[in-house]
Amino acid sequence: MTPETKYDLAITGGGLAGLSLAILQAKAGKSVVLFEKNTYPFHRVCGEYISLESWDFLESLGLPLSQMNLPIIKNLQVTSPSGTSLEAPLDLGGFGISRYKLDFELAKIAKNLGVKVLESTKVNDIRKTETQFEVYTEKEVYLSKMAVGSFGKRSNLDVDWKRPFITKNRTSLNQYVGVKYHIKTDFPKDKIALHNFSDGYCGISAIEDDLYCLCYMTTKANLKKSDNSIALMEDKILSKNPFLREIFKNSEKVWPQPEVISQISFEKKGQFEKEIPLLGDASGMIAPLCGNGMSMAFHGAYLLNDLLESVENLQENYPKRWNHEFSTRLQVGRTVQSLFGNPVMTDILIRSMKFAPSFLQLIIKNTHGKKIGKI
Ligand SMILES: Cc1cc2nc3c(=O)[nH]c(=O)nc-3n(C[C@H](O)[C@H](O)[C@H](O)COP(=O)(O)OP(=O)(O)OC[C@H]3O[C@@H](n4cnc5c(N)ncnc54)[C@H](O)[C@@H]3O)c2cc1C
């Protein structure tokens, strides 16, 4: 069955990249349909710390951040697995908000602007013909003049389309597991801590409603070593870091079971697949250690929205602008990610940064961008 309407734009994936592009395009008077396989609101694995580079952009989309009483985060603490600790101010800083709330609010804004948001609707394929794009869901085929993929880190479409990062052999860049809790604890609201442990790191920072997000990433091998038990891994590996031991001991988990994702990959991806422009994590993912994937998703939407004005040279211009904006950040992210993990190396790094704080500031600067809108 084929619905009659032909939309100006069909967006697959209603995370931050897809929702912000939908809002921008609806504001520009375009008819937009957005497909999201889940139903809002829902939790997802993410550290929930957003760089302040995105604040004005989100407000411009219609999200009244300044009225939401969100924690503003100005300080960073990094610790090594053995407990060496380094603290530094964050130049620009960030704020905390749960993805449960953020994605839900953006979806509401999109709907109010007339975007057709189809929840619980998984896209099985997107095809470009001579005259249009066809988006295949379980029950229907939707038609549009343009289609965009913002389906995140790893989707059924990545697998079906055999994207190179899926078919590549297992490497140190594509075998990560992410775990997230919301917790109640005693921790400064203006601080984000990154506690390292053997082959992983764990972030903790405040979000809304006096809650904290505790989110960590580690290798599949670490989980396997712990009989695939998250509780055992937290006890035997993460808790070797005295700061993490303290947090696990003295915090209350809001949900009994954490959110978990696996097969996270930081391999290079590409900005087009089957002539469909890709956005957010679908086009390339920065190591969460550098804490900036959400701002990259917003920034990418801003950039693509601009280029959709004249689609003739999109194939050439979009990757060029994307690389200009993000390739240094991603490269620094990959390098930083590879430096952390080994307990001895991490300890040496953190001790050295204590004597050369400008090195830490340099990493922070190179993994963050300018305010969105000032490309
Ligand atoms: C462990 C971890 C911690 C992180 N911490 C932070 C942090 O603190 N700060 C930060 O800025 N970034 C962080 N990030 C990165 C950040 O979460 C992502 O960069 C960001 O969510 C990317 O947004 P997106 O819209 O591209 O993808 P997503 O937010 O993942 O959205 C993609 C959407 O597509 C949907 N979808 C997928 N396939 C289909 C389909 N076939 N049909 C319909 N819908 C589909 C999914 O359900 C999903 O809702 C972290 C990432 C990880 C893994």
Side-chain angles (χ1 to χ4, degrees), residues 12-18 35-38 40 42 44-51 99 103 121-124 150-157 177-179 192 215-217 261 264 266 279-282 285-286 288 291-295 297:
T12 299
L16 300 179
F35 306 91
E36 169 52 52
K37 67 179 178 176
N38 290 307
Y40 303 105
F42 59 96
R44 45 171 122 225
V45 173
C46 180
E48 302 183 332
Y49 162 88
I50 309 188
S51 154
R99 294 295 302 270
D103 295 52
T121 307
K122 185 171 164 185
V123 169
N124 291 327
S150 49
F151 36 74
K153 297 168 242 326
R154 184 186 173 92
S155 147
N156 56 311
L157 294 172
V177 176
V179 179
I192 176 164
C215 182
Y216 63 85
M217 222 185 56
I261 49 168
I264 306 170
F266 300 103
L279 193 56
D281 281 359
M285 194 178 158
I286 191 164
N292 223 0
M294 289 193 271
S295 289

Side-chain angles (χ1 to χ4, degrees), residues 8-12 21 126-127 132-135 144-149 272 275-278 304 308 314:
D8 289 324
L9 178 65
I11 300 175
T12 299
L21 181 65
I126 312 169
R127 292 181 201 156
Q132 63 195 5
F133 287 84
E134 298 171 349
V135 181
S144 63
K145 293 183 196 154
M146 174 50 77
V148 166
F272 276 91
E275 298 184 55
I276 297 152
L278 304 176
L304 187 56
L308 286 176
L314 198 60

Side-chain angles (χ1 to χ4, degrees), residues 1 10 25 30 37 56 72 79-80 84 91 95 116 121 229 237 246 301 325 344 368:
M1 198 170 110
Q25 285 281 294
K30 307 285 179 187
K37 67 179 178 176
D56 293 350
I72 303 294
T79 71
S80 75
T84 305
D91 241 7
F95 61 101
K116 183 140 184 86
T121 307
S229 156
I237 301 177
E246 204 51 32
E325 190 56 38
V344 179
H368 286 61

Side-chain angles (χ1 to χ4, degrees), residues 17 31 45 50 64 87 93 111 113 126 130 167 182 185 193 238 243 248 260 287-288 311 317 336 350 360:
S31 58
V45 173
I50 309 188
E87 301 220 13
K111 286 177 193 171
L113 286 167
I126 312 169
E130 293 231 320
T167 52
H182 280 173
T185 193
L238 278 79
F243 289 92
F248 280 117
V260 183
V311 292
N317 289 341
V336 173
I350 292 173
L360 180 62

